[in-house]
Amino acid sequence: MIDSSAFVLAAPGRLEAILCVLVVALPIGLMIGAVVLRAAVSLFNKFAGTSEVEETGESSDLVPEPSMLKAVGILLIIGVANFMIGLILSVVASGFGLNQAGPEGLSLRNQIILNLASLPVTFFVSSALLSALLPTTFKRGMGVALCQYIISILLGLVIGLIVMIVGLALG
């Protein structure tokens, strides 16, 4: 039975943990990701500039900035696609013996190899989905995906630095 005492008095069971992730963590993560995606589109548009204005008054070089809801939907689609790719690469890697777990589990070296191997694949899939879901070219989709990766890495470094400083300050 799910009640509030499961979260306060004891460690939550699997059902409570799954519900917590689906109800709390996933929407918050998607909203943060949507802000990052919109910032990436804006950053790419600043880098791309404008070369010529069409008859409609819109620049042909600009990627249209999605609304917040559309950005959340795009990220959800990209996340599901990248999850499937991760599963496929994991099965392929197990066929080659890369992710054989020992007594301590999967080694850090093999985890890093799998993550680095999936990075180019997920980048191109993200670029293709961005170019399809935002009416733009594949090349511009790659630019937006690259800006999104750069913003995410910088954001992660800043958050990590803040956590490290707070950890050192508290002892």
Side-chain angles (χ1 to χ4, degrees), residues 93-110:
S94 66
F96 287 111
L98 279 178
N99 64 351
Q100 293 177 350
E104 297 87 26
L106 190 61
S107 71
L108 180 62
R109 178 179 168 269
N110 289 345

Side-chain angles (χ1 to χ4, degrees), residues 6-87:
F7 293 107
V8 177
L9 300 176
R14 288 186 182 192
L15 180 62
E16 289 93 356
I18 290 171
L19 285 176
C20 184
V21 166
L22 289 177
V23 172
V24 177
L26 185 65
I28 291 172
L30 285 172
M31 294 302 281
I32 292 170
V35 169
V36 169
L37 177 61
R38 289 171 51 99
V41 169
S42 178
L43 183 66
F44 176 78
N45 285 338
K46 281 189 178 190
F47 285 146
T50 58
S51 64
E52 62 185 53
V53 178
E54 295 177 1
E55 297 171 1
T56 60
E58 296 179 10
S59 171
S60 61
D61 288 342
L62 295 180
V63 177
E65 189 170 330
S67 67
M68 197 68 169
L69 188 60
K70 185 174 181 179
V72 167
I74 290 171
L75 286 175
L76 194 59
I77 292 169
I78 290 174
V80 169
N82 286 337
F83 176 75
M84 295 297 183
I85 289 170
L87 285 177

Side-chain angles (χ1 to χ4, degrees), residues 81-126:
N82 286 337
F83 176 75
M84 295 297 183
I85 289 170
L87 285 177
I88 291 169
L89 287 176
S90 178
V91 169
V92 169
S94 66
F96 287 111
L98 279 178
N99 64 351
Q100 293 177 350
E104 297 87 26
L106 190 61
S107 71
L108 180 62
R109 178 179 168 269
N110 289 345
Q111 287 177 352
I112 291 172
I113 289 171
L114 287 174
N115 286 334
L116 288 177
S118 70
L119 190 62
V121 176
T122 57
F123 175 77
F124 284 115
V125 168
S126 297

